[in-house]
């Protein structure tokens, strides 16, 4: 078999794999039999469960959460009927749910300011095929990142931003999000505060990286304040953006140990490494439908 023929065969196999795989996320009041109801439903629709993760906040009158990955040989043809049939089950058990399909790739936009390390990490993961999304546009209030973004064939928009022109800036950003049909916004150290009107357009679809271990050092200058406080651990937090600054549902956090020898410059250097890995993990888990938002918390099925 020639190399081209083998590559074509591998591509066809991958497409078939994606077309036949789905994920079902459910949140509902906990009670006996929920897992049985869901597994029976999938079995009835000729679907094989290949991964299942569940959690109950309290087995007595708590909330039940589950993520099920499944395979169905005829998923493309039967997905609509499955969703329609599921409506009755969802109503009977007061379920909030979503069906997600692997062949429907998420379209992502990245917002960045001057520091490129988080952007570069995401682009690297994307180039490696480890970030299952299409990065369709990058938007920045600085020109610094343009060369290496455009070198990858990704459109780059420079939109100056400050609090005096925030509304018109966000109007242009929303227009671009609609133009590129964006599903997910990633703030890769985008150092501008978003208005409630903007956030309202993308509920639970904006992921931010904050350069501290929240709730410590909310707001600007966390490394400077950490140094002044003499902390022994610094960290980073990735969270969904809400109208409360740096207080949205937390997706992932990590820390590194530091000591009295580390000045602000060294803290920032260590912090950049943490920020990169924390944001990349959070974005991956969102793309893999591993997150269910509950109030101001998240259930993350690793």
């Amino acid at each position: 078999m020639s190399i081209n023929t083998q590559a074509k065969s591998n591509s066809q196999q991958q497409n078939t794999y994606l077309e036949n795989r789905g994920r079902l996320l459910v949140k509902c009041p906990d009670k006996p039999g929920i897992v049985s109801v869901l597994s029976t439903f999938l079995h009835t629709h000729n679907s094989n469960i290949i991964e299942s993760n569940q959690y109950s906040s309290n087995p007595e009158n708590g909330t039940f959460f589950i993520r099920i990955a499944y395979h169905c040989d005829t998923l493309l043809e039967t997905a609509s009927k499955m969703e329609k049939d599921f409506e009755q089950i969802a109503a009977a058990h007061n379920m909030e749910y979503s069906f997600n399909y692997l062949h429907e790739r998420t379209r992502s936009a990245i917002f960045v300011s001057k520091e490129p390390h988080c952007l570069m990490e995401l682009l690297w993961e994307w180039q490696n095929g480890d970030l299952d999304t299409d990065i369709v546009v990058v938007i920045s209030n600085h020109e610094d990142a343009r060369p290496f973004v455009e070198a990858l064939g990704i459109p780059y928009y420079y939109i100056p931003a400050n609090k005096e022109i925030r509304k018109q800036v966000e109007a242009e950003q929303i227009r671009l999000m609609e133009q590129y049909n964006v599903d997910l916004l990633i703030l890769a150290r985008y150092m501008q505060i978003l208005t409630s009107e903007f956030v309202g357009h993308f509920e639970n679809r904006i992921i931010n990286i904050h350069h501290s271990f929240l709730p410590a050092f909310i707001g600007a200058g966390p490394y400077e304040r950490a140094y002044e406080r003499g902390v022994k651990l610094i960290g980073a937090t990735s969270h969904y953006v809400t109208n409360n600054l740096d207080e949205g549902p937390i997706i992932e956090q990590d820390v590194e140990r530091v000591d009295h020898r580390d000045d602000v410059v060294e803290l920032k250097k260590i912090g950049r490494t943490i920020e990169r890995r924390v944001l990349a993990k959070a974005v991956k888990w969102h793309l893999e439908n591993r997150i269910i938002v509950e109030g101001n918390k998240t259930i993350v099925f690793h």
Side-chain angles (χ1 to χ4, degrees):
M1 183 181 293
S2 70
I3 293 176
N4 286 341
T5 302
Q6 181 65 55
K8 184 176 181 180
S9 175
N10 291 341
S11 177
Q12 289 173 340
Q13 290 176 3
Q14 176 68 5
N15 288 340
T16 300
Y17 167 86
L18 294 175
E19 290 171 356
N20 294 337
R21 294 292 176 93
R23 300 173 184 137
L24 173 61
L25 273 64
V26 172
K27 175 173 70 173
C28 65
D30 198 3
K31 62 182 179 181
I34 295 296
V35 173
S36 176
V37 167
L38 296 174
S39 59
T40 299
F41 168 81
L42 290 170
H43 175 69
T44 301
H45 289 80
N46 300 313
S47 298
N48 183 35
I49 295 173
I50 55 179
E51 183 182 348
S52 180
N53 294 279
Q54 64 194 62
Y55 165 72
S56 175
S57 64
N58 188 329
E60 298 181 3
N61 302 316
T63 303
F64 181 76
F65 306 85
I66 190 167
R67 174 189 184 269
I68 300 175
Y70 61 92
H71 175 98
C72 176
D73 286 334
T74 58
L75 188 57
L76 282 180
E77 294 78 20
T78 61
S80 295
K81 184 178 187 308
M82 286 179 67
E83 291 191 29
K84 185 66 177 177
D85 292 347
F86 194 76
E87 291 176 2
Q88 186 174 353
I89 292 175
H93 298 280
N94 195 21
M95 293 177 174
E96 297 179 29
Y97 67 95
S98 65
F99 283 91
N100 307 276
Y101 305 105
L102 272 65
H103 70 275
E104 295 179 350
R105 285 176 63 84
T106 300
R107 296 171 62 82
S108 298
I110 301 177
F111 285 29
V112 64
S113 289
K114 294 194 72 172
E115 297 190 57
H117 54 283
C118 287
L119 169 66
M120 295 296 287
E121 182 73 16
L122 295 172
L123 294 176
W124 171 252
E125 294 278 358
W126 173 71
Q127 284 180 284
N128 277 348
D130 294 327
L131 209 59
D132 190 20
T133 187
D134 293 326
I135 299 175
V136 295
V137 64
V138 173
I139 293 174
S140 180
N141 56 329
H142 295 274
E143 287 280 14
D144 303 55
R146 181 183 293 277
F148 47 81
V149 170
E150 291 188 338
L152 296 174
I154 301 171
Y156 186 93
Y157 290 86
Y158 165 58
I159 306 177
N162 57 59
K163 61 183 180 181
E164 284 75 24
I165 58 172
R166 186 160 290 151
K167 285 191 175 182
Q168 63 200 68
V169 167
E170 290 188 346
E172 175 62 10
Q173 291 169 339
I174 291 172
R175 186 191 68 78
L176 287 170
M177 296 304 95
E178 293 172 348
Q179 175 183 330
Y180 285 94
N181 194 24
V182 168
D183 303 302
L184 174 67
L185 277 68
I186 307 166
L187 306 184
R189 292 301 304 272
Y190 181 66
M191 308 307 288
Q192 294 288 317
I193 295 175
L194 303 176
T195 67
S196 58
E197 289 80 7
F198 186 92
V199 173
H201 276 79
F202 308 100
E203 184 179 6
N204 295 331
R205 293 192 293 136
I206 308 175
I207 296 179
N208 183 46
I209 183 68
H210 182 70
H211 43 314
S212 81
F213 192 74
L214 294 175
F217 307 125
I218 289 173
Y223 292 122
E224 288 80 359
R225 287 183 286 149
Y227 176 75
E228 291 170 2
R229 186 64 182 82
V231 302
K232 305 309 178 190
L233 291 170
I234 62 168
T237 303
S238 190
H239 62 93
Y240 287 115
V241 174
T242 65
N243 290 326
N244 297 319
L245 180 64
D246 296 332
E247 294 187 14
I250 292 172
I251 303 170
E252 173 64 342
Q253 296 180 289
D254 204 353
V255 296
E256 291 283 354
R257 182 164 292 280
V258 297
D259 64 27
H260 58 276
R261 300 175 184 86
D262 297 315
D263 59 16
V264 173
V265 172
E266 188 63 24
L267 293 183
K268 288 183 177 181
K269 185 183 299 183
I270 297 169
R272 284 194 287 268
T273 301
I274 314 171
E275 293 163 27
R276 285 161 45 197
R277 66 174 180 256
V278 167
L279 179 60
K281 283 183 180 180
V283 171
K284 283 183 183 180
W285 293 337
H286 178 96
L287 295 172
E288 294 171 359
N289 312 115
R290 295 188 178 276
I291 306 169
I292 300 177
V293 176
E294 171 67 355
N296 203 44
K297 296 182 179 181
T298 59
I299 310 301
V300 183
F301 294 115
H302 300 293

